[in-house]
Amino acid sequence: METLLTPEELEIALRSIGAERYHNRHPFHGLLHGGKLNKGQVQAWALNRFYYQSRIPMKDATILARTEDPDLRLIWRQRIIDHDGNEGEDGGIARWLKLTDALGLDRNYVLSGDGLLPATRFAVDAYLHFVRDRSLLEAIASSLTELFAPAIISDRVAGMLANYDFVSPTALAYFEKRLHQAPRDANFALDYVKREARRPDQQHAVLQALRFKCDVLWSQLDALHHAYVAPGNIPPGAFDPVRLSAMDR
Amino acid sequence: METLLTPEELEIALRSIGAERYHNRHPFHGLLHGGKLNKGQVQAWALNRFYYQSRIPMKDATILARTEDPDLRLIWRQRIIDHDGNEGEDGGIARWLKLTDALGLDRNYVLSGDGLLPATRFAVDAYLHFVRDRSLLEAIASSLTELFAPAIISDRVAGMLANYDFVSPTALAYFEKRLHQAPRDANFALDYVKREARRPDQQHAVLQALRFKCDVLWSQLDALHHAYVAPGNIPPGAFDPVRLSAMDR
């Protein structure tokens, strides 16, 4: 790409990447939100997605550690607080564990990461490495999937409450909070990249960063879809709902 | 694990990981070697696997760069030569490109990495990061999947020649060479870890490193299987055999 976009054109280009590649379009989310999964499959989703959640404050701390501007650090720090909470006050990670609790997953098993799909780990770790190794502009741009989060969260909460008797509003408290946090975070990051991407190569890098992040999310669902929707595809060592419930007995 | 294994017990434990987790057990390889894939599916495999091949000398150079012992560097250097070749003499990467040529893939497209499954990139890059960030002992142990390569290579060459009229012995020259290189490399690495893993925690780390590497290989096949065996699952932006052949016309 050689032409310089206006900030508004850059935003349009970013939003069109989301329209094509954000994981709300993934068939696994259709199954999840439409009540087409059984409890074991929802467990597998929540278990694997917990690894992503657990790495988000590390990702944000990496950005913090690379930021020279104290004002930017002050604003970005809020993301870590949102996920890790405060003394005596739950953050996003604790709320996600309420979901895995409600689904009947053992908390130590969830925290251990033992049953993760390797592909989950590889995708999430790729995100951490990206944020550490690329430019600060690209690191911030890779957070822009939050722009597209509110729509999927609303669908998810409504769909899961309507379709699964093992899911309650308390179990979904994580998403309630994100409905307000995500747009605030995304708007800040969007303003940042529209302001700081002043050259065509920087704008290209920003667009690529968002594509990369969409791939990180999409490939996590591909792995879940492959392992847990059709029988016989769970990779060696990964969470197996059937085996787990057999152990319960 | 708290007990110290004898070197022979460690070897038995390593081989049993291979027996359980090496990707010769993956259903995608059954389809590939059994002639059950069409040309587009074999193209997708060769294209994605090229990214793995292209990163192997970088992986080995990372190990070289971390090795203080000149004798070890001298031996390990041969791996880079095997893959990159010499002036006027093909190495493994060039031989792999003969396979993608023979399959009708555009060489620039293969080299660009444009059509890769994101999961391929995440898994292979996880291997590079592992070799850079873990102990040298673990980095060397992660190469031990080569112990199990000769059997799969024989099956592959025989199966592909028997089953696909678009595959010739010349196209499979890469594997012919590996039949001799892999055992030499694997035996050296096996002797190294049997000698250097002297504490239970080191032996545990060595076993985990081999499990990790098996996951790297297995998850690449999971991604191919998901994207290219059932219809409708190719992620946004990845190689699409149907679209490509439509463009040819």
Side-chain angles (χ1 to χ4, degrees), chain B residues 64-155:
Chain B
L64 216 59
R66 299 186 61 198
T67 304
E68 293 182 6
D69 175 2
D71 294 334
L72 177 55
R73 285 202 303 271
L74 187 69
I75 289 167
W76 208 270
R77 190 178 70 196
Q78 186 60 40
R79 295 174 180 240
I80 304 180
I81 296 169
D82 289 343
H83 281 88
D84 285 339
N86 280 305
E87 195 92 33
E89 192 189 328
D90 280 353
I93 292 181
R95 279 190 287 275
W96 197 275
L97 288 170
K98 294 215 165 123
L99 172 60
T100 55
D101 286 350
L103 291 170
L105 289 165
D106 179 74
R107 196 172 267 222
N108 288 329
Y109 180 72
V110 174
L111 291 169
S112 73
D114 280 348
L116 288 180
L117 294 170
T120 300
R121 201 184 287 274
F122 298 155
V124 172
D125 290 356
Y127 186 28
L128 288 181
H129 293 132
F130 184 94
V131 162
R132 183 187 64 191
D133 296 337
R134 300 298 185 98
S135 69
L136 186 63
L137 178 63
E138 289 166 283
I140 289 179
S142 67
S143 74
L144 284 172
T145 44
E146 296 283 18
L147 279 175
F148 320 118
I152 199 176
I153 290 179
S154 311
D155 287 356

Side-chain angles (χ1 to χ4, degrees), chain A residues 196-208:
Chain A
E196 300 295 332
R198 296 191 202 92
R199 297 192 316 259
D201 63 305
Q202 291 175 321
Q203 295 184 334
H204 179 70
V206 159
L207 295 168
Q208 284 295 99

Side-chain angles (χ1 to χ4, degrees), chain A residues 15 33 83 100 158 186 189 227 230 233:
Chain A
R15 290 191 184 278
H33 304 162
H83 282 88
T100 55
N233 288 328

Side-chain angles (χ1 to χ4, degrees), chain A residues 55-234:
Chain A
R55 262 47 191 173
I56 292 301
M58 293 167 69
K59 181 271 294 182
D60 288 317
T62 304
I63 290 180
L64 217 60
R66 300 187 59 198
T67 303
E68 293 181 5
D69 175 1
D71 293 335
L72 177 55
R73 285 202 303 271
L74 187 69
I75 288 167
W76 209 269
R77 190 179 70 197
Q78 186 59 42
R79 293 173 181 241
I80 303 179
I81 297 168
D82 289 344
H83 282 88
D84 285 339
N86 280 305
E87 195 90 35
E89 192 189 329
D90 280 353
I93 291 180
R95 280 190 286 275
W96 196 275
L97 288 170
K98 295 214 164 127
L99 172 60
T100 55
D101 286 350
L103 291 170
L105 289 164
D106 178 74
R107 195 173 269 222
N108 287 329
Y109 180 72
V110 174
L111 291 170
S112 74
D114 280 348
L116 288 180
L117 295 170
T120 299
R121 202 183 286 274
F122 298 154
V124 172
D125 291 354
Y127 186 28
L128 288 181
H129 292 132
F130 184 94
V131 162
R132 183 187 64 190
D133 296 336
R134 301 298 186 100
S135 69
L136 185 63
L137 178 64
E138 289 165 283
I140 289 179
S142 68
S143 74
L144 284 171
T145 44
E146 296 283 18
L147 278 175
F148 320 117
I152 198 175
I153 291 178
S154 311
D155 287 357
R156 176 173 304 154
V157 171
M160 290 183 73
L161 288 176
N163 290 306
Y164 301 114
D165 57 12
F166 49 86
V167 170
S168 69
T170 325
L172 299 181
Y174 171 84
F175 301 108
E176 209 63 44
K177 283 277 187 189
R178 292 305 299 162
L179 274 177
H180 312 288
Q181 293 165 348
R184 176 205 65 201
D185 292 348
N187 290 333
F188 176 83
L190 180 61
D191 290 344
Y192 181 92
V193 303
K194 285 167 72 178
R195 189 173 66 243
E196 300 295 332
R198 296 191 202 92
R199 297 192 316 259
D201 63 305
Q202 291 175 321
Q203 295 184 334
H204 179 70
V206 159
L207 295 168
Q208 284 295 99
L210 181 56
R211 283 192 194 96
F212 162 80
K213 175 65 176 304
C214 287
D215 289 345
V216 166
L217 297 173
W218 192 279
S219 69
Q220 289 176 68
L221 296 183
D222 271 354
L224 283 164
H225 200 172
H226 184 66
Y228 295 108
V229 173
N233 288 328
I234 299 174

